[in-house]
Amino acid sequence: MGKIKQFLHDVMSEMRKTSWPKSKELTKYTVVVVSTVIFMAIFFVLVDLGVSKLFRWYLDL
């Protein structure tokens, strides 16, 4: 039980040392992540459609 208590104490100590982003920074980071995810999703959908179309064209020969 003492090891768990010491571990939690160490975790809290390290968390106090952490520099947390401000609200504006957090908003910017969130916008960057969401826009990147949307861009990558659209990119992979288009690539998948293109590969599927090429594969179907190849099978129809």
Side-chain angles (χ1 to χ4, degrees):
M1 192 66 169
K3 288 183 179 182
I4 294 174
K5 195 173 192 178
Q6 183 61 39
F7 172 75
L8 293 175
H9 181 269
D10 292 344
V11 168
M12 290 303 293
S13 174
E14 289 297 321
M15 293 298 283
R16 286 188 191 103
K17 295 177 188 177
T18 305
S19 72
W20 296 97
K22 305 288 185 233
S23 179
K24 280 188 173 184
E25 291 174 325
L26 189 60
T27 303
K28 287 180 186 178
Y29 298 156
T30 303
V31 168
V32 168
V33 168
V34 169
S35 61
T36 302
V37 167
I38 290 171
F39 173 77
M40 294 303 289
I42 292 170
F43 172 76
F44 283 116
V45 164
L46 293 175
V47 168
D48 183 50
L49 289 173
V51 170
S52 296
K53 193 154 193 120
L54 282 173
F55 192 68
R56 285 189 192 117
W57 174 78
Y58 178 74
L59 290 177
D60 287 341
L61 288 179

